[in-house]
Amino acid sequence: MTTALSPRLTAATTGRVLRQLRHDHRTIAMMVLLPSLLLGLLYLLWADLPAPPGTPSTFDRVGLTMLGVFPFVVMFLVTSIAMLRERTSGTLERLLTTPLSRPALLLGYGAAFGLAAAAQALVTVTVATTLYDLDLAGPLWAVVLIAVVTTALGVALGLLASAFARSEFQAVQFMPVVVLPQFFLCGLLVPREQMAGWLQAISDVLPLTYAVEALQEVGRSPEPTGTMWADVGVVAGAALLALALAAATLRRRTD
Amino acid sequence: MHDAVTVSSLVVHRGSREVLRGLSFGVPAGRVTGLLGPSGSGKTTLARAVVGVQRVRSGTVTVLGAPAGSPGLRARVGYVTQAPSVYPDLTVGENARYFAALYGRGAREAAAAVADVGLAGDAGRLVRDLSGGQRGRASLACALVGEPELLVLDEPTVGLDPVLRVELWARFAALAAAGATLLVSSHVMDEAARCDRLLLLRDGDLLADCTPAELRARSGTDDLEAAFLQLVREREQVAA
């Protein structure tokens, strides 16, 4: 009998996905460098704009949040395409006939892209705080942690979305569906307390809201706050829930 | 002779179409059974039902004593899909080692499986750089690596040159001689002669379940292709 979640098979799958990435140098380069370059563009955009006295500069406020949003978006897309490829190439069907369980497959994917996200976050946070003078009160490790957990959410949502995509065209269009409403309502464009009540209620149930709030907490206070930890917990919980839903929607028997 | 696979009254629908119309047969253990029929006859659907990834309408498929697809079977059954299902962005060796890990085997078994399909010299090459025939063999290696008791192969010889085809069939016979059960689908009738037993499928119906010798004797011809055509005509006359 196979156990539902064999750590050995999960690790083998994580290793396999990372090996696939390793053979794709351009993807690695883009994953590591792209968020830093985009952040640089934002830095230059606001560089000469004076901030009202007593408030953080626009770049400090938005740039910090982007450390969570960029990897979330990128990993959502990468994962949903990777899973769709697995489905259309027949390898998924084959995997379903092996001892690898569905949760182990998805967790293996999640761990692989989570590790890639950690590397990406380390580079981006380092570049942001040194090259772009991003000011934050809290510790760097907290930013990396939040970025990784947020990316894990992107990975899990990507795996879930790929279950509903029959083609690459559909998969790509799930990105604006899943990502943009969360981005609009996360409190970055309009502070959450100034939103209409019903929009705020929607914002309350969208996980990206908590990722952004956690990053803002790190930006404000020198020590990790209880709110930050609660936010990280909510995002991690949402990621696990999405993974469980993805496993449930992944059918072993199909027509 | 006991059966490794027992199929009874199997009905499969895909969409509104009935793809398999109440099939019943057994696949003898330790033998090479050929699943033959023209394209669209239901061979792939039947193979998928045996490995447990096909949704079935009614009937049962019992594999090595358990319902097809049950968790305990997954380490004992190997499946090679018609289109090579290996990762094009991994090397042959990396593919084999991944599937080896899934079946609880190591790098040594992976290397042996790659050598078995004649790709030892190509183990370090990316699958996407291989020819179609080599990809198919890489895919086969990823099933052999688990040393399955039942190996289900969907059109494994399509696109292979004649020398490789002969080699592969010799390999299948050797696996059966070592105790494995093989169910091999093909639409090429001259491959039927290489099987211990034949299942002839047409439009989701089983036309014949016999040995190649029985098929030749029944139709009075040595040509298995002609024998198959004769069976089809007989069936059509009965229907008319």
Side-chain angles (χ1 to χ4, degrees), chain A residues 52-136:
Chain A
T55 59
S57 78
T58 314
F59 177 71
D60 282 348
R61 193 170 61 85
V62 177
L64 181 62
T65 316
M66 284 299 153
L67 292 176
V69 173
F70 280 147
F72 172 75
V73 174
V74 170
M75 290 301 176
F76 175 87
L77 269 178
V78 168
T79 323
S80 50
I81 297 286
M83 199 61 192
L84 195 73
R85 270 187 3 190
E86 189 99 57
R87 204 180 287 273
T88 50
S89 69
T91 45
L92 178 64
E93 174 151 302
R94 180 176 207 162
L95 289 180
L96 292 176
T97 68
T98 72
L100 179 68
S101 72
R102 286 165 285 180
L105 168 66
L106 296 178
L107 211 63
Y109 255 102
F113 287 118
L115 281 171
Q120 187 188 53
L122 266 175
V123 170
T124 316
V125 172
T126 309
V127 169
T129 48
T130 53
L131 239 54
Y132 309 149
D133 307 316
L134 184 78
D135 267 330
L136 63 144

Side-chain angles (χ1 to χ4, degrees), chain A residues 80 83-84 87 157-166 174 245-251:
Chain A
S80 50
M83 199 61 192
L84 195 73
R87 204 180 287 273
L157 288 175
L159 290 171
L160 178 59
S162 76
F164 300 99
R166 290 282 157 269
F174 272 113
L245 282 174
T249 50
L250 188 60
R251 297 259 68 95

Side-chain angles (χ1 to χ4, degrees), chain A residues 8-9 12-13 16 19-20 22-23 85-86 90-91 93-100 252-255, chain B residues 14 48 52-55 68 74-75 79 85-87 89-90 94 98-99 101-103 126 139 142-143:
Chain A
R8 200 173 47 77
L9 300 192
T13 303
R16 185 263 294 174
R19 248 168 246 122
Q20 285 180 288
R22 209 186 57 200
H23 287 295
R85 270 187 3 190
E86 189 99 57
T91 45
E93 174 151 302
R94 180 176 207 162
L95 289 180
L96 292 176
T97 68
T98 72
L100 179 68
R252 189 178 295 279
R253 285 177 186 273
T254 52
D255 271 335
Chain B
R14 297 185 87 170
R48 294 181 77 234
V53 294
Q54 175 66 51
R55 195 174 287 149
R74 286 180 210 140
Y79 176 40
S85 46
V86 277
Y87 298 97
D89 45 359
L90 289 182
E94 286 170 337
Y98 175 51
F99 282 96
L102 297 188
Y103 290 113
L126 289 177
S139 190
C142 292

